[in-house]
Amino acid sequence: MKNASLRRLISKRDIRRRVRELAEEITAHYQGRPVVVLGLMNGALFFLVDLLRLLPESVIVECRTVASYAGPSSTGKIHGLDMLHGNFAGKTVLIVDDILDTGLTLSEVRARLLDMGAKRVDVCVLCRKEGTRKVRVRAKWVGFDIKNEFVVGYGLDFDGVYRTRQEIFVLEPSSSTP
Ligand code: 5GP
Ligand code: MG
């Protein structure tokens, strides 16, 4: 996307506050029971780390790389699910992802974990987009409900860049000048 501009959507302070609230809710919910926190890379990287710092030491941490995007729209094809092998049988798994969009990624990952014998699979997402679902996915914890706009920053990229921005921005095409 040439001539794109960034419009700030969520501030650093709001992210920090919301992550703290989510960590408190998650901690209270599991009450020290064993949980495998499965972070989906690369988008959830910053969110995962900030959340993990506030979770109890008993959580087990796993990361897998899955991707469905090429450029600014979902390809609908999920890559990286074959990397999901691991010991999830009998475990409670909390998937941590960046964005719930069509829902294809999370429903596939969730189904795969249940196939592998996971006892329970919950979902926590940083952002949930409005009106974009192709399949139903229940996210137990949601950082922010957002409109159907392409966002970057705080781990989220556009073709690999913008991940290191500390805040969340909407990437919008600049109004073109003739
Ligand atoms: P879904 O399978 O739900 O359509 O896609 C979810 C994945 O697409 C997210 O985990 C994220 O990696 C990517 N994605 C969806 N919307 C956006 C967006 O607005 N910005 C960025 N950077 N990635 C997105
Ligand atoms: Mg993702």
Side-chain angles (χ1 to χ4, degrees):
M1 200 183 292
K2 282 187 183 137
N3 299 320
S5 64
L6 300 182
R7 168 170 56 85
R8 193 176 79 169
L9 185 68
I10 306 169
S11 70
K12 204 165 158 176
R13 193 179 162 168
D14 285 349
I15 295 171
R16 206 180 305 127
R17 184 181 43 77
R18 190 68 190 118
V19 170
R20 207 180 302 128
E21 287 171 357
L22 290 171
E24 282 169 12
E25 287 174 27
I26 291 167
T27 303
H29 177 82
Y30 293 116
Q31 297 192 329
R33 292 192 300 274
V35 182
V36 179
V37 175
L38 171 64
L40 302 186
M41 297 294 108
N42 294 325
L45 184 57
F46 283 41
F47 179 45
L48 176 74
V49 170
D50 285 350
L51 198 60
L52 283 174
R53 289 183 209 278
L54 302 170
L55 294 183
E57 63 188 23
S58 56
V59 302
I60 290 164
V61 184
E62 293 281 344
C63 297
R64 296 291 185 277
T65 301
V66 298
S68 72
Y69 262 54
S73 62
S74 181
T75 58
K77 192 165 176 285
I78 317 298
H79 306 274
L81 282 181
D82 46 332
M83 298 291 287
L84 268 178
H85 55 79
N87 188 12
F88 296 103
K91 304 277 170 65
T92 294
V93 183
L94 173 63
I95 305 173
V96 175
D97 200 9
D98 52 359
I99 301 190
L100 174 54
D101 184 17
T102 63
L104 292 169
T105 308
L106 283 167
S107 73
E108 291 242 18
V109 173
R110 192 166 182 280
R112 192 68 67 95
L113 290 165
L114 291 168
D115 276 355
M116 288 188 289
K119 186 169 71 184
R120 204 196 146 81
V121 181
D122 295 323
V123 171
C124 172
V125 291
L126 174 64
C127 297
R128 175 171 63 186
K129 285 193 188 176
E130 244 172 48
T132 56
R133 228 73 69 238
K134 288 184 181 160
V135 290
R136 212 176 150 266
V137 175
R138 176 170 142 65
K140 205 175 185 77
W141 292 282
V142 176
F144 303 94
D145 276 302
I146 63 171
K147 286 194 258 174
N148 183 17
E149 297 178 305
F150 194 81
V151 289
V152 296
Y154 192 61
L156 303 164
D157 74 311
F158 172 68
D159 275 353
V161 296
Y162 300 124
R163 283 196 206 279
T164 57
R165 291 269 188 154
Q166 303 286 303
E167 306 182 294
I168 298 174
F169 298 85
V170 174
L171 184 71
E172 34 190 30
S174 300
S175 43
S176 56
T177 43

